[in-house]
Amino acid sequence: MAGGELKLLGAWPSPFALRVKLALSFKGLSYEDIEEDLRNKSDLLVSSNPVHKKIPVLIHNGKPICESQIIVQYIDEAFVGTGPSLLPGDPYERAIARFWAAYVDDKLVASWMQTFRGKTDEEKAEGVKQTLAAVEHLEAAFKECSKGKPFFGGDNVGYLDVTLGGLVGWVHAGEKLYGFNPFDATRSPLLNAWVERFGELDAAKAVLPDTDRLVDFAKMRQAEAAAAASNN
């Protein structure tokens, strides 16, 4: 079992940093939460992640680990016996969980961002279409992985729950801002129920950002982007 000092370089609205916070919370690990100003990145962030210069970065006993999914896997492997295991014990189930976790970032997050950030209505509409297609696949994945139980990990939260759980705050904020919920009860009833169930867990509540705070943050960023566009 590993011990020692943990520091997390992150930013509170980031769903990727939130993934790491969720993993640490479910494992019951304490850490120093270092909030980064992404417009003025610290020397610690740049030296810890010189390749991408991005958050999140977990520093364990002075050694940096980068990329949210890799960090979550590291936490699970480095702190075996501390809190619940996030990755399945079975190699096949572990591979399936990793496959769908990669799918979340490659397909769901990418297309969902396009629904907000698309420059034209056509781009946004295509983003919605691709997002819903990704959600359809993830709905089937939930059915397969959960085997009728409450979470992707079965009776308890697992790796895929944490991966998707980082987006829960933005699901609620996006619905308030744009009236669009990718995990709508009609199209994806299993994921819709999962979002509510996950958000009620004490370990999730401890770190999930407030929806209204996320909405205010998004509105501020939109206003900044609009001002920058009008100045060009």
Side-chain angles (χ1 to χ4, degrees):
M1 185 176 75
E5 183 184 52
L6 288 168
K7 294 179 181 179
L8 175 62
L9 310 184
W12 72 267
S14 165
F16 304 106
L18 184 57
R19 262 179 203 164
V20 180
K21 290 181 181 180
L22 285 165
L24 292 164
S25 186
F26 281 110
K27 296 286 274 185
L29 295 165
S30 57
Y31 61 98
E32 183 183 350
D33 187 8
I34 301 172
E35 186 74 11
E36 281 286 332
D37 176 357
L38 299 183
R39 295 172 184 182
N40 183 24
K41 296 174 183 178
S42 70
D43 291 342
L44 181 59
L45 174 59
V46 174
S47 64
S48 299
N49 188 359
V51 175
H52 298 301
K53 301 178 179 63
K54 287 182 179 177
I55 57 149
V57 177
L58 183 74
I59 302 174
H60 183 203
N61 290 334
K63 294 178 179 176
I65 305 100
C66 308
E67 301 291 312
S68 64
Q69 291 194 22
I70 292 168
I71 296 170
V72 172
Q73 292 178 43
Y74 175 83
I75 289 167
D76 203 42
E77 292 167 356
F79 294 91
V80 173
T82 304
S85 290
L86 298 174
L87 284 155
D90 178 76
Y92 177 74
E93 290 182 3
R94 198 157 60 240
I96 294 298
R98 284 175 168 146
F99 171 87
W100 285 115
Y103 185 86
V104 166
D105 283 358
D106 295 344
K107 299 296 182 184
L108 177 65
V109 173
S111 56
W112 195 22
M113 286 298 103
Q114 191 177 326
T115 67
F116 304 143
R117 295 178 181 171
K119 290 183 172 61
T120 64
D121 288 343
E122 289 78 11
E123 280 183 15
K124 289 177 181 175
E126 182 61 23
V128 169
K129 181 181 168 186
Q130 296 296 333
T131 299
L132 295 179
V135 168
E136 190 178 337
H137 286 299
L138 285 167
E139 179 83 352
F142 182 84
K143 193 172 183 180
E144 176 196 351
C145 296
S146 68
K147 301 178 178 68
K149 292 178 177 176
F151 301 103
F152 281 99
D155 288 317
N156 301 304
V157 163
Y159 176 60
L160 200 43
D161 295 283
V162 168
T163 300
L164 200 57
L167 302 175
V168 163
W170 281 110
V171 169
H172 296 307
E175 191 167 22
K176 275 197 171 187
L177 279 163
Y178 309 106
F180 174 56
N181 179 353
F183 305 129
D184 148 286
T186 308
R187 286 186 301 262
S188 49
L190 296 177
L191 287 175
N192 180 270
W194 172 86
V195 166
E196 298 308 317
R197 197 180 301 123
F198 185 86
E200 287 302 310
L201 296 169
D202 288 341
K205 280 183 182 175
V207 294
L208 285 172
D210 178 70
T211 300
D212 289 335
R213 192 180 176 204
L214 286 173
V215 168
D216 290 344
F217 174 80
K219 285 179 177 175
M220 181 187 73
R221 280 297 170 90
Q222 285 172 339
E224 289 171 355
S230 67
N231 289 334
N232 289 337

